[in-house]
Amino acid sequence: MASVLSYESLVHAVAGAVGSVTAMTVFFPLDTARLRLQVDEKRKSKTTHMVLLEIIREEGLLAPYRGWFPVISSLCCSNFVYFYTFNSLKAVWVKGQHSTTGKDLVVGFVAGVVNVLLTTPLWVVNTRLKLQGAKFRNEDIVPTNYKGIIDAFHQIIRDEGILSLWNGTFPSLLLVFNPAIQFMFYEGLKRQLLKKRMKLSSLDVFIIGAVAKAIATTVTYPMQTVQSILRFGRHRLNPENRTLGSLRNVLYLLHQRIRRFGIMGLYKGLEAKLLQTVLTAALMFLVYEKLTAATFTVMGLKSAHKH
């Protein structure tokens, strides 16, 4: 139990949260473009920079940063929970032995499930806040008017019931494979490189982080599209498809997407997503590794990573 509440897990959690917030802020406009491409099917622009230019032209210079605060606060909580759970579980299970790729995947998966169940309501709210006031091409989208995070929670619970805060939980749980795959490749690649050299340079960490995330994102992207549509929840779906993003719902959305846009419709916005997540993940891992190393050095602790 001591290792779950340990100081080391806390350092990892804080470093992970700070790393992700830094990275997300830098590449936030790319996320805005990706979300528009996923949710607003009528948008003609295909490329990321065209969508961003359109958003700026129609909605103002700061529009790509709309919804930054709720996203950053959700991300902070989310990554704190994820890194804390990941490192605590690892400490309990691995107990000083060498970790294996399989163990990393399982630990990553469990950490992800805990994370999804705790933080989905935050993500539902911030998907809506991020799209509030957006000029949509799709007439089927019902606009929202929330004053802030608390008001959004209040209105969603009042109008749609408390369970709608967990909209898109099902694809989110499937998407837990994304960070799990990413961590597995990241830790695996790190182990391979450390066999060849004593220490990893910043560039090594950045590249490993980027490769790991690119693989994970491409594999799980169609689920992310479905998840965005469900979280947004403002499409006039059939009432019976309103439930908690059930399997039928997910399959229905995937099927519709393929019927209307072909198989590539599932990958709409992937270019923006890859640009954003790959750069964000790489920068996050870089800040995370540097922060944990620096903190452990200052506190006179050896790094918890004895690979």
Side-chain angles (χ1 to χ4, degrees):
M1 189 61 200
S3 52
V4 174
L5 301 169
S6 78
Y7 179 76
E8 286 185 2
S9 291
L10 190 66
V11 172
H12 281 293
V14 173
V18 173
S20 60
V21 166
T22 311
M24 187 58 162
T25 303
V26 175
F27 301 116
F28 194 80
L30 290 170
D31 194 54
T32 303
R34 181 265 321 171
L35 193 56
R36 293 294 175 89
L37 282 164
Q38 282 181 326
V39 171
D40 192 6
E41 296 157 357
K42 299 280 196 319
R43 213 168 254 287
K44 294 282 179 286
S45 305
K46 294 288 183 284
T47 60
T48 312
H49 62 278
M50 287 304 292
V51 171
L52 275 177
L53 283 172
E54 254 178 32
I55 294 171
I56 291 169
R57 203 169 54 236
E58 291 174 13
E59 301 169 34
L61 196 59
L62 286 177
Y65 274 93
R66 180 186 286 120
W68 174 82
F69 182 73
V71 169
I72 289 300
S73 24
S74 307
L75 195 69
C76 216
C77 299
S78 192
N79 272 304
F80 187 88
V81 170
Y82 191 82
F83 276 90
Y84 196 93
T85 318
F86 184 83
N87 285 292
S88 303
L89 285 170
K90 207 166 159 180
V92 172
W93 195 17
V94 177
K95 286 206 180 74
Q97 311 150 358
H98 282 290
S99 184
T100 61
T101 311
K103 281 185 180 175
D104 284 337
L105 184 67
V106 174
V107 170
F109 188 76
V110 176
V113 171
V114 172
N115 186 10
V116 164
L117 296 174
L118 288 177
T119 61
T120 290
L122 283 169
W123 289 112
V124 168
V125 165
N126 84 45
T127 300
R128 300 215 185 168
L129 285 171
K130 205 162 153 43
L131 290 165
Q132 184 161 292
K135 291 184 166 56
F136 290 114
R137 303 287 189 276
N138 191 345
E139 302 76 53
D140 286 347
I141 292 173
V142 192
T144 60
N145 55 330
Y146 305 132
K147 289 179 191 65
I149 299 178
I150 307 297
D151 183 51
F153 271 114
H154 174 71
Q155 281 198 40
I156 293 171
I157 292 169
R158 189 192 61 204
D159 301 338
E160 301 168 45
I162 192 143
L163 280 182
S164 62
L165 285 173
W166 274 271
N167 268 351
T169 301
F170 187 77
S172 298
L173 285 174
L174 295 179
L175 278 170
V176 165
F177 282 114
N178 184 317
I181 293 167
Q182 173 193 349
F183 260 75
M184 179 181 82
F185 276 103
Y186 177 73
E187 297 280 340
L189 288 164
K190 202 163 90 174
R191 273 196 288 273
Q192 291 308 312
L193 271 183
L194 283 170
K195 281 179 191 162
K196 295 186 180 67
R197 60 191 82 169
M198 281 303 293
K199 211 166 161 295
L200 294 182
S201 71
S202 298
L203 186 65
D204 290 336
V205 173
F206 193 85
I207 290 170
I208 293 174
V211 170
K213 189 64 182 176
I215 296 169
T217 300
T218 310
V219 171
T220 56
Y221 193 75
M223 284 325 289
Q224 277 177 325
T225 303
V226 170
Q227 177 198 41
S228 289
I229 295 170
L230 285 170
R231 275 181 181 166
F232 185 41
R234 312 300 289 180
H235 287 69
R236 297 190 174 92
L237 275 176
N238 312 341
E240 70 271 14
N241 282 340
R242 275 266 176 221
T243 49
L244 256 181
S246 62
L247 183 58
R248 201 174 72 232
N249 212 348
V250 171
L251 291 173
Y252 165 78
L253 283 169
L254 284 174
H255 176 68
Q256 264 210 324
R257 210 57 195 215
I258 294 171
R259 211 178 61 218
R260 287 170 65 179
F261 301 106
I263 203 85
M264 288 321 285
L266 295 178
Y267 285 93
K268 213 171 163 203
L270 178 66
E271 174 203 9
K273 182 69 182 172
L274 271 180
L275 257 177
Q276 182 243 336
T277 41
V278 167
L279 295 171
T280 304
L283 187 56
M284 182 196 80
F285 277 123
L286 188 57
V287 176
Y288 164 67
E289 292 285 350
K290 292 284 175 244
L291 261 179
T292 41
T295 314
F296 287 132
T297 310
V298 170
M299 303 311 293
L301 282 163
K302 285 186 185 68
S303 168
H305 285 297
K306 298 186 190 76
H307 285 305

